[in-house]
């Protein structure tokens, strides 16, 4: 994700840099580009619109909070899909957002329904999923899937607390409960981000969220290069990424 990589301390991409980076990623064979969060600023919105208008082979997505009005902004950028974020854990809902659980649930349902109505492929992104008790997490995402909408679910290991062993157990249970594609979003805490991502893919996850060289907040995001080469060299899985362009 361009958006997540830019959360690295002191990193800010100009409009033309975002577009140039997107072109290079597309030439590399990247499958999806999360181009940014258009509600942040007019500059971000313009850059995302520029990228969406390039006609890339990669699918171009934008990012939004669980606020229905942000979906209108995303739709106006011309992207194919939207990643909609909200915390899953009670701790982060209360202390990071200052919301009640009921408000978070209603916002999730309303925003994902708005995304469906807008014709956007909708990825429901659960912040702090790995610090949410599993059965409660399953109940939460099932309610959003039933009363709201999601084409796919992202499990985010927001503060880097999960292990490959846990991931291999959790992913099949989530897929079995939701009957929808599951995406994995990890960070490099304890150096486990790549291992957790590969374990998730082995367990049935269908999309890995990565950044170039692992650029990102705190310990960094998962480096795209390490995931691609681990799959290719250790598991004989070729994603079609042109590694000579790294």
């Amino acid at each position: 994700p361009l958006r997540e990589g830019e959360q690295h301390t002191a990193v800010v991409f100009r409009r033309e840099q975002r577009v140039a980076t997107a072109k290079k990623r597309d030439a590399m064979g990247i499958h999806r580009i999360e181009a940014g969060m258009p509600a942040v600023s007019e500059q971000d919105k313009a850059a995302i619109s520029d990228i969406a208008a390039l006609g890339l082979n990669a699918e171009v997505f934008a990012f939004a909070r669980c606020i229905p009005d942000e979906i209108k902004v995303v739709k106006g950028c011309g992207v194919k899909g939207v990643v909609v974020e909200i915390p899953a854990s009670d701790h982060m809902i209360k202390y990071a957002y200052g919301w009640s659980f009921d408000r978070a649930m209603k916002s999730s349902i309303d925003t994902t329904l708005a995304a469906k109505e807008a014709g956007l492929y909708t990825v429901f992104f659960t912040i702090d999923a790995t610090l949410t008790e599993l059965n409660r997490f399953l109940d939460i995402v099932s309610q959003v899937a039933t009363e709201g909408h999601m084409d796919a679910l992202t499990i985010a290991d927001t503060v880097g607390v999960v292990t490959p062993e846990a991931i291999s157990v959790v992913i099949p249970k989530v897929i079995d409960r939701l009957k929808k594609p599951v995406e994995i979003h990890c960070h490099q805490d304890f150096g486990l981000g790549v291992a957790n991502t590969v374990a998730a893919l082995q367990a049935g996850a269908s999309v890995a969220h990565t950044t170039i060289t692992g650029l990102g907040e705190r310990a960094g995001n998962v480096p795209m290069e390490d995931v691609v080469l681990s799959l290719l060299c250790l598991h004989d899985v070729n994603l079609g990424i042109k590694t000579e362009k790294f």
Side-chain angles (χ1 to χ4, degrees):
L2 269 168
R3 185 265 323 167
E4 182 101 10
E6 196 177 24
Q7 289 176 201
H8 189 99
T9 303
V11 171
V12 179
F13 296 121
R14 295 190 304 273
R15 179 175 177 178
E16 60 270 24
Q17 288 176 320
R18 283 179 179 270
V19 175
T21 302
K23 288 178 179 178
K24 287 191 175 184
R25 293 185 186 206
D26 190 57
M28 193 185 296
I30 297 296
H31 306 146
R32 180 201 292 177
I33 297 172
E34 188 188 298
M37 192 172 179
V40 168
S41 69
E42 287 300 318
Q43 292 83 0
D44 284 53
K45 179 181 175 182
I48 296 161
S49 298
D50 289 346
I51 293 168
L54 289 173
L56 303 178
N57 291 317
E59 296 178 339
V60 180
F61 279 44
F63 199 83
R65 294 165 294 184
C66 268
I67 300 172
D69 283 348
E70 290 196 8
I71 298 301
K72 299 174 186 176
V73 183
V74 169
K75 179 66 175 177
C77 292
V79 296
K80 176 178 181 178
V82 61
V83 179
V84 182
E85 74 161 357
I86 200 163
S89 69
D90 291 319
H91 178 87
M92 195 164 283
I93 290 171
K94 180 178 179 180
Y95 293 107
Y97 273 46
W99 288 9
S100 67
F101 175 80
D102 289 344
R103 179 181 175 184
M105 180 59 73
K106 184 178 187 305
S107 294
S108 300
I109 292 168
D110 291 348
T111 306
T112 56
L113 286 174
K116 179 183 181 182
E117 186 176 341
L120 296 165
Y121 185 92
T122 307
V123 181
F124 187 60
F125 184 105
T126 48
I127 305 170
D128 218 25
T130 52
L131 276 178
T132 308
E133 192 274 325
L134 180 57
N135 288 328
R136 177 168 171 77
F137 176 73
L138 290 170
D139 288 343
I140 290 169
V141 295
S142 295
Q143 185 175 347
V144 174
T146 302
E147 298 179 23
H149 170 73
M150 68 177 76
D151 293 299
L153 170 76
T154 297
I155 295 177
D157 186 30
T158 303
V159 292
V161 300
V162 81
T163 63
E165 294 84 0
I167 282 287
S168 65
V169 171
V170 167
I171 296 291
K173 290 186 177 182
V174 176
I175 294 173
D176 182 64
R177 177 72 174 268
L178 281 183
K179 304 294 191 294
K180 292 182 181 292
V182 169
E183 307 184 359
I184 186 68
H185 179 107
C186 296
H187 288 264
Q188 281 292 84
D189 300 83
F190 310 109
L192 288 176
V194 175
N196 285 331
T197 298
V198 172
L201 294 171
Q202 287 178 310
S206 52
V207 174
H209 293 201
T210 66
T211 64
I212 301 295
T213 71
L215 193 69
E217 64 184 32
R218 299 186 307 96
N221 283 75
V222 172
M224 180 273 296
E225 302 84 355
D226 287 3
V227 172
V228 169
L229 288 171
S230 294
L231 291 173
L232 180 63
C233 299
L234 303 179
H235 301 281
D236 197 30
V237 175
N238 189 339
L239 299 178
I241 305 297
K242 300 177 178 66
T243 56
E244 67 274 14
K245 292 184 178 291
F246 281 177

